[in-house]
Amino acid sequence: MLSGRRLDLLDPSPLDIEIEDIAHGLARVARWNGQTSGDHIFSVAQHSLLVERLAREASHDLDRAWRLAVLLHDAPEYVIGDMISPLKAMIGGGYKPVEERLLAAISLRFGLPPKWPTALHKITKAADRAAAYLEATRLAGFSHTEAQKFFGRAPGLDADVEASYLSPWSAQEAKQKFLARFEEIVR
């Protein structure tokens, strides 16, 4: 990692995880395999911020820990990249344990339980699907009918979210915004 940490993918230690490495990596990992409109990639860092925002809107009583967990839901991708769902399905079970070990180590590093409660998974998944719907229709060329088939119904969206989160940012901007939101949550 740029921090100088060496992360063992088979046995990741929370002590080898730094938020700056996560933000840097996620800001440079493209969602949708880079097949989005705009001058910049739509990064996993930007996606993570969108998911956290949608989760807050849907569940106004999310406590600090759960907001942090939602923000970090795709954090393992700073090391292993973002693999599109059809490819994950083709690969099968080998990918998931690596991702789960990384998320457990990341969770421990930031004071979260290594295994998230079912309710947190549900909130995160709902916000993740809503974000995927928005990204698919606003950035990746999906029709609303097509997106609904894959991601469910269209989420309600205020103009602020559309303007603030669905225009791809530069990697530096995505990194800075991810780190700023992290700091807001952990303060």
Side-chain angles (χ1 to χ4, degrees), residues 88-150:
K88 283 183 190 176
M90 287 173 29
I91 290 174
Y95 179 86
K96 201 67 172 162
V98 172
E99 184 179 47
E100 288 171 352
R101 282 192 300 272
L102 282 165
L103 186 57
I106 291 164
S107 294
L108 287 170
R109 169 64 176 88
F110 298 110
L112 301 167
K115 184 159 177 60
W116 293 1
T118 301
L120 175 55
H121 276 289
K122 286 182 180 178
I123 289 167
T124 304
K125 190 64 174 171
D128 195 38
R129 289 177 64 83
Y133 182 98
L134 295 170
E135 295 163 15
T137 57
R138 304 312 197 274
L139 300 166
F142 282 56
S143 70
H144 289 281
T145 303
E146 198 176 22
Q148 188 170 359
K149 178 180 159 188
F150 292 108

Side-chain angles (χ1 to χ4, degrees), residues 50-51 53-55 57-58 127 130-135 137-138 144 153-167:
L50 174 60
V51 171
R53 173 68 185 264
L54 292 170
E57 286 185 5
Y133 182 98
L134 295 170
E135 295 163 15
T137 57
R138 304 312 197 274
H144 289 281
R153 64 183 175 81
L157 182 67
D158 67 34
D160 177 52
V161 172
E162 175 105 29
S164 301
Y165 292 89
L166 289 168
S167 294

